[in-house]
Amino acid sequence: MRAISSFPDPEQPATGRIPPEVEVGLYRNMLRVRNAEETLAALYREKEMRTPTHFGVGQEGVAVGVCEALLPGDVVYTHHRCHTHYLAKGGSLLGLVAELYGREDGCSRGRGGSVHLTDRSVGLMGSSPILGQGVALAVGSALAFKMDGASTVAVSFFGEGTCDEGVVYESFNYASVNKLPVLLVCENNFYATESPLETRQPSGTRLCDRARAFQISAEKVDGNDVAAVYEAAQRALARIRAGEGPQFLECETYRWLEHVGPMFDHELARTYRTREEVEAWMQRCPVKRAGHRLLARGLATQAGLDEWRREVVDEMTAVVAQAKASPWPDPSTLFENVY
Ligand SMILES: Cc1ncc(C[n+]2csc(CCOP(=O)(O)OP(=O)(O)O)c2C)c(N)n1
Ligand SMILES: [Mg+2]
C-alpha cells in the first residue's frame, strides 16, 4: 500500500489545545461539507448534473482547517477539486448545488459548473481546472495586497500533481523574492488522476524541500487531522502577516472517490490503487476523528453529534429542492461576462 507506507509523518502534531468553540466549528463545518458532497455524489448518478465533478470526500480537513484560520477578507484560489474550499470559505450551499445543476442560482450563474466556482462575496476568487493557474493568480493577488499596504492574505490550494507544473516554481520564486503574503497549501493525496506520486517524482522527494529551495518556510501536516491543519495554518498566517513572506503547507490526505465522478474506484474495477488502500484511509476519516476528539474532550455527546448531522442533512435536502427549482440561464444571456 504505497500511500500508506509513507503516512503519517507530520512535522508537528496537533497540540489538543484548540478553543472549544473552534473545535466544535471545525467539526460542524466538515460535517456540512462531507454531507453536501456525499449527497451530490449520490444525486450525480441520476445524470441531471452534466458537469465533470471532482469530489473532495476524505479531504475536508485541509479546506476546513485552513479556511477556519483565515480572516473573512482573505482570498482563496483553487483548482478543479474545489467544492470543499468554496464551502469552507463561507460559500453558499445553494450557490454550489445550483451551479452543479447548471442553474441561474449557481455561484457562477450556472455557466461554470463544478470546476469554475467563483464567489467574490466570500473571497473565493476563482477555481480553475488548469493546473498551476491558481498558484500564479494567488501570487498576483498577494502582490496587489502588498503594493496596497493591505494585511490581506491570498491562499492557493493545489494538489501534489500540480507541483509537477513549471509555473508553480516561477510563482514560488517570485513570491519569495518579493516576500508576498501568500499561503501555498498543497493537498498531497498521493495521486494525480490515476498516476501515483512515486512514478512522477524521484524517490525520496520531499515536497516541502521544493518550497524550501526558494527560501519559503514549509511545514508538513497530517491533513486528515483538522486541528493540526488549523494550528499549522495559524502559525503560517502569523508569519505571513508579520511580513515574512510566503509559507508552504503540505497536507497529506486522501481522496475516497474516483478522480472525476461519483463512484468508488472498485465499483469500476480500476486497478491503479487497491481497495485495501482506500479502506485503510477511510479508517483515518477526518470527520470521524474530529468527532471522537469532541467526545473525548467532553465538548459534545453522541446525541449532539447526531443532532448536528440531522441539521446538515435537512439543510441539504431543502437546498437540493431549491436548486432543482431554480431557473435555467436564459440562452439570450449566453455571451454575457465572456471575455
Ligand atoms: C496544465 C494541466 N495539465 C494537465 C491537466 C489534466 N489534469 C486534470 S486534474 C489532473 C491531476 C491533478 O492532480 P493533483 O494536482 O494532485 O490534484 P488532485 O486531482 O489529486 O486533487 C490532471 C493531470 C490539467 N487540467 N491542466
Ligand atoms: Mg493529487
Side-chain angles (χ1 to χ4, degrees):
M1 287 190 279
R2 292 180 293 240
I4 296 289
S5 56
S6 61
F7 190 89
D9 181 24
E11 290 175 352
Q12 242 176 292
T15 62
R17 288 193 301 273
I18 291 188
E21 66 284 4
V22 176
E23 185 106 50
V24 168
L26 291 169
Y27 175 76
R28 294 185 70 176
N29 280 337
M30 282 198 299
L31 195 63
R32 186 166 179 262
V33 176
R34 168 68 59 86
N35 179 66
E37 284 214 299
E38 284 187 337
T39 307
L40 286 168
L43 292 170
Y44 198 86
R45 297 172 189 228
E46 295 174 351
K47 298 196 187 312
E48 274 188 54
M49 285 173 248
R50 306 305 300 178
T51 168
T53 302
H54 305 75
F55 291 99
V57 177
Q59 303 191 190
E60 302 85 354
V62 182
V64 170
V66 170
C67 289
E68 191 72 24
L70 297 176
L71 296 177
D74 294 330
V75 300
V76 164
Y77 290 86
T78 171
H79 288 89
H80 52 289
R81 207 171 298 288
C82 53
H83 308 165
T84 55
H85 310 125
Y86 177 53
L87 292 180
K89 189 64 176 66
S92 143
L93 195 56
L94 177 62
L96 170 67
V97 178
E99 190 59 39
L100 267 62
Y101 277 104
R103 306 304 173 102
E104 192 65 42
D105 283 336
C107 61
S108 303
R109 296 182 56 205
R111 276 101 169 140
S114 163
V115 294
H116 295 111
L117 303 181
T118 174
D119 187 345
R120 288 187 72 167
S121 71
V122 295
L124 197 293
M125 304 308 283
S127 320
S128 168
I130 308 301
L131 304 180
Q133 194 177 44
V135 182
L137 292 175
V139 168
S141 266
L143 174 64
F145 297 146
K146 182 156 184 179
M147 290 171 77
D148 288 347
S151 59
T152 316
V153 173
V155 183
S156 174
F157 288 100
F158 50 96
E160 91 299 332
T162 303
C163 292
D164 299 338
E165 294 289 337
V167 65
V168 168
Y169 301 101
E170 297 171 49
S171 304
F172 282 13
N173 189 62
Y174 191 83
S176 177
V177 168
N178 294 286
K179 286 207 178 318
L180 299 183
V182 60
L183 178 59
L184 303 157
V185 183
C186 176
E187 291 186 63
N188 182 0
N189 62 12
F190 301 94
Y191 292 88
T193 58
E194 300 185 4
S195 160
L197 180 64
E198 71 203 16
T199 63
R200 290 179 280 119
Q201 297 178 359
S203 71
T205 295
R206 299 169 73 90
L207 293 171
C208 284
D209 286 346
R210 292 187 174 191
R212 289 174 185 136
F214 294 91
Q215 297 176 16
I216 293 175
S217 53
E219 193 179 323
K220 179 151 95 169
V221 63
D222 178 349
N224 281 16
D225 181 347
V226 70
V229 174
Y230 171 74
E231 290 184 329
Q234 276 198 318
R235 286 190 289 275
L237 288 162
R239 288 192 290 266
I240 293 171
R241 294 194 211 279
E244 291 179 31
Q247 309 285 316
F248 179 91
L249 282 186
E250 176 190 351
C251 304
E252 290 185 318
T253 185
Y254 201 80
R255 114 179 109 70
W256 291 9
L257 300 177
E258 59 182 326
H259 166 67
V260 52
M263 313 283 274
F264 284 95
D265 286 313
H266 68 80
E267 294 178 282
L268 300 156
R270 294 212 178 96
T271 54
Y272 72 97
R273 58 184 192 177
T274 63
R275 188 169 178 171
E276 291 70 35
E277 179 180 294
V278 179
E279 284 172 356
W281 276 87
M282 290 172 75
Q283 296 297 317
R284 306 184 51 77
C285 172
V287 184
K288 277 204 191 110
R289 283 170 75 185
H292 288 150
R293 188 159 37 212
L294 286 181
L295 296 175
R297 284 186 75 184
L299 299 177
T301 59
Q302 187 56 51
L305 299 188
D306 295 344
E307 177 58 28
W308 290 335
R309 176 156 179 77
R310 272 193 297 277
E311 279 176 30
V312 296
V313 169
D314 289 350
E315 180 194 15
M316 186 64 182
T317 305
V319 161
V320 169
Q322 211 181 336
K324 286 187 169 188
S326 170
W328 296 102
D330 183 337
S332 70
T333 64
L334 187 63
F335 294 108
E336 283 179 12
N337 303 312
V338 176
Y339 302 99

Coordinates of all heavy atoms in Angstrom, one line a residue, residues 54 59 80-81 129-131 158-163 165 187 189 191-193 200 255 259, ligand 1:
H54 N -15.2 16.7 -9.6 CA -14.1 16.1 -8.8 C -14.5 16.3 -7.4 O -14.4 17.4 -6.8 CB -12.8 16.9 -9.1 CG -12.4 16.9 -10.6 ND1 -13.0 17.8 -11.5 CD2 -11.5 16.2 -11.3 CE1 -12.5 17.6 -12.7 NE2 -11.6 16.7 -12.6
Q59 N -11.1 14.7 2.0 CA -10.0 15.7 2.1 C -10.5 17.0 2.9 O -9.9 18.1 2.8 CB -9.6 16.1 0.7 CG -9.0 15.0 -0.1 CD -8.3 15.3 -1.4 OE1 -8.0 14.4 -2.2 NE2 -8.0 16.6 -1.6
H80 N -9.4 22.3 -9.6 CA -10.6 21.5 -10.0 C -11.4 20.9 -8.8 O -12.6 20.7 -8.9 CB -10.2 20.4 -11.0 CG -9.1 19.6 -10.5 ND1 -7.8 20.0 -10.4 CD2 -9.1 18.3 -10.0 CE1 -7.0 19.1 -9.9 NE2 -7.8 18.0 -9.7
R81 N -10.6 20.5 -7.8 CA -11.3 19.8 -6.6 C -11.7 20.9 -5.6 O -11.1 21.0 -4.6 CB -10.3 18.8 -6.0 CG -11.1 17.6 -5.4 CD -10.1 16.5 -5.0 NE -9.4 15.9 -6.1 CZ -10.0 15.1 -7.0 NH1 -11.2 14.8 -6.9 NH2 -9.3 14.6 -8.0
P129 N -9.5 24.6 -13.6 CA -9.0 23.2 -13.9 C -7.6 23.2 -14.5 O -7.1 22.1 -14.7 CB -10.1 22.6 -14.8 CG -10.6 23.8 -15.5 CD -10.5 25.0 -14.6
I130 N -7.1 24.4 -14.8 CA -5.8 24.4 -15.5 C -4.7 24.4 -14.3 O -4.6 25.4 -13.6 CB -5.6 25.7 -16.3 CG1 -6.7 25.9 -17.3 CG2 -4.2 25.7 -17.0 CD1 -6.9 24.7 -18.3
L131 N -4.1 23.3 -14.2 CA -3.2 23.1 -13.0 C -2.1 24.2 -13.0 O -1.4 24.4 -14.0 CB -2.5 21.7 -13.1 CG -3.5 20.5 -13.2 CD1 -2.7 19.2 -13.2 CD2 -4.5 20.5 -12.0
F158 N -3.8 23.6 -4.0 CA -3.4 22.8 -5.2 C -3.0 21.4 -4.8 O -2.6 21.2 -3.7 CB -2.3 23.5 -6.0 CG -1.1 23.9 -5.2 CD1 0.0 23.1 -5.1 CD2 -1.1 25.1 -4.5 CE1 1.1 23.4 -4.3 CE2 0.0 25.4 -3.7 CZ 1.1 24.6 -3.6
G159 N -3.1 20.5 -5.7 CA -2.7 19.1 -5.4 C -1.2 18.9 -5.6 O -0.5 19.7 -6.2
E160 N -0.8 17.7 -5.1 CA 0.7 17.4 -5.3 C 1.0 17.2 -6.8 O 2.2 17.5 -7.2 CB 1.1 16.3 -4.4 CG 1.0 14.9 -5.1 CD -0.4 14.5 -5.5 OE1 -1.4 15.0 -4.9 OE2 -0.5 13.7 -6.4
G161 N 0.0 16.8 -7.6 CA 0.3 16.7 -9.0 C 0.6 18.0 -9.7 O 1.4 18.1 -10.6
T162 N 0.0 19.1 -9.1 CA 0.2 20.4 -9.6 C 1.6 20.9 -9.4 O 2.2 21.7 -10.1 CB -0.8 21.4 -9.0 OG1 -2.1 20.8 -9.3 CG2 -0.7 22.8 -9.5
C163 N 2.3 20.2 -8.4 CA 3.7 20.6 -8.1 C 4.6 20.1 -9.3 O 5.8 20.3 -9.2 CB 4.2 19.9 -6.8 SG 3.4 20.7 -5.4
E165 N 4.1 21.2 -12.3 CA 3.9 22.2 -13.3 C 5.0 23.3 -13.1 O 5.2 23.8 -12.0 CB 2.5 22.9 -13.2 CG 1.4 21.9 -13.5 CD 1.3 21.6 -15.0 OE1 1.8 22.4 -15.8 OE2 0.8 20.6 -15.4
E187 N -2.3 20.0 -1.2 CA -3.1 18.8 -0.7 C -2.5 17.6 -1.4 O -2.8 17.3 -2.5 CB -4.6 19.0 -1.1 CG -5.2 20.1 -0.4 CD -6.7 20.1 -0.6 OE1 -7.5 19.2 -0.2 OE2 -7.2 21.2 -1.1
N189 N -2.6 14.1 -2.0 CA -3.4 12.9 -1.8 C -2.8 11.8 -2.6 O -3.4 10.8 -2.9 CB -4.9 13.2 -2.3 CG -4.9 13.6 -3.8 OD1 -3.9 13.5 -4.5 ND2 -6.1 14.0 -4.2
Y191 N -2.0 11.0 -5.5 CA -2.3 10.7 -6.9 C -2.6 11.9 -7.7 O -3.3 12.8 -7.2 CB -3.5 9.7 -7.0 CG -3.2 8.3 -6.4 CD1 -3.3 8.1 -5.0 CD2 -2.6 7.3 -7.2 CE1 -3.0 6.9 -4.5 CE2 -2.3 6.1 -6.6 CZ -2.5 5.9 -5.3 OH -2.2 4.7 -4.7
A192 N -2.2 11.9 -9.0 CA -2.7 12.9 -10.0 C -3.4 12.0 -11.0 O -2.8 11.2 -11.7 CB -1.6 13.6 -10.6
T193 N -4.7 12.2 -11.2 CA -5.6 11.3 -11.9 C -5.4 9.9 -11.4 O -5.5 9.7 -10.2 CB -5.5 11.5 -13.4 OG1 -4.2 11.2 -13.9 CG2 -5.9 12.8 -13.9
R200 N 6.0 9.7 -10.5 CA 6.2 11.0 -11.1 C 7.3 11.8 -10.6 O 7.7 12.8 -11.1 CB 4.9 11.8 -10.9 CG 3.7 11.3 -11.7 CD 2.4 12.2 -11.5 NE 1.8 11.8 -10.2 CZ 1.6 12.6 -9.2 NH1 2.0 13.8 -9.3 NH2 1.0 12.2 -8.1
R255 N -8.1 11.1 -1.3 CA -9.4 11.2 -1.9 C -10.1 9.8 -1.9 O -9.4 8.8 -2.3 CB -9.3 11.8 -3.3 CG -9.6 11.0 -4.5 CD -9.5 11.8 -5.8 NE -8.4 11.3 -6.6 CZ -8.3 10.2 -7.2 NH1 -9.2 9.3 -7.1 NH2 -7.2 9.9 -7.9
H259 N -11.1 9.8 -9.5 CA -10.6 11.2 -9.7 C -11.7 12.2 -10.1 O -11.7 13.3 -9.6 CB -9.5 11.1 -10.8 CG -9.1 12.4 -11.4 ND1 -8.5 13.3 -10.7 CD2 -9.3 13.0 -12.6 CE1 -8.3 14.4 -11.4 NE2 -8.8 14.2 -12.6
Ligands
LIG1 C1 -2.0 22.2 -17.1 C2 -2.8 21.0 -16.9 N1 -2.2 19.8 -17.2 C3 -3.0 18.6 -17.1 C4 -4.3 18.7 -16.7 C5 -5.1 17.4 -16.6 N2 -5.4 17.1 -15.2 C6 -6.5 17.4 -14.6 S1 -6.6 17.0 -13.0 C7 -5.0 16.3 -13.1 C8 -4.4 15.7 -11.8 C9 -4.2 16.7 -10.8 O1 -3.6 16.1 -9.7 P1 -3.4 16.9 -8.3 O2 -2.8 18.3 -8.6 O3 -2.6 16.1 -7.4 O4 -4.9 17.2 -7.8 P2 -5.9 16.1 -7.3 O5 -6.7 15.7 -8.6 O6 -5.2 14.9 -6.8 O7 -6.8 16.8 -6.3 C10 -4.5 16.4 -14.4 C11 -3.2 15.9 -14.8 C12 -4.8 20.0 -16.4 N3 -6.1 20.1 -16.0 N4 -4.1 21.1 -16.5

